[in-house]
Amino acid sequence: MREANTERNTKETRIRLSLSLDGSGKANIDTGCGFLDHMLDLWSKHARFDLDLQCEGDTRVDYHHTCEDIGIALGQALATALADKTGIARYGSALVPMDETLMLCALDLSGRACLVYDVTTPTEKVGDFDCELAREFMLGFVRNAAVTLHLRMLSGENSHHILEAAFKALARALRAAVAQDGAWAGEIPSTKGAL
């Protein structure tokens, strides 16, 4: 089983996280932020990753540190679970509609961190969640998972739908990228011999 357990303890957050890439999409999530719980729950379901995540953050300030640090911890867990990436598909992409929204995600488990985030929301908030924090989550994730990630909104009018489509597209693309590919059995999918 490709699994990882991660803890991140700072003056701003305390995070305990368990991730299994070969799961069934079971999630037990409590971040202290209802909207982020919702996004990570659907992320787990659509990636088919099992995720157990508990976070105590300085939410009296706002959700910034919580979102960023969970992205960091999740990225670290993914990197650990993938180990040397032998036999994986490496690349993944998804085109996800949600009502009026259409989101494109393409990624490469390249070992190089790069985020291209072309997602805009018409409102600053969904409930009490600052929409700009979705990018902070993605940035923390990309930097620590060492993933090249492109997220592009092709259409969208509703902020909730836009962010939900982004998390679902990321999940679906990751599911494809981490899949075992028989053509690469016993090999690392790179001419360099390492990712």
Side-chain angles (χ1 to χ4, degrees), residues 23-102:
S24 61
K26 290 184 289 189
N28 177 34
I29 298 165
D30 183 4
T31 68
C33 172
F35 185 77
L36 185 58
D37 288 354
H38 177 44
M39 293 300 102
L40 292 172
D41 184 56
L42 62 86
W43 178 86
S44 173
K45 178 64 78 176
H46 285 272
R48 305 297 288 168
F49 297 163
D50 291 345
L51 177 62
D52 192 309
L53 169 62
Q54 308 301 311
C55 176
E56 296 174 23
D58 58 355
T59 56
R60 69 193 179 283
V61 176
D62 64 10
Y63 296 129
H64 183 101
H65 299 136
T66 293
C67 290
E68 181 180 34
D69 286 5
I70 288 173
I72 289 169
L74 196 56
Q76 290 170 344
L78 179 70
T80 299
L82 285 172
D84 69 358
K85 303 175 188 167
T86 297
I88 64 167
R90 177 178 169 177
Y91 297 97
S93 62
L95 188 62
V96 171
M98 182 163 183
D99 297 343
E100 86 297 343
T101 298
L102 184 60

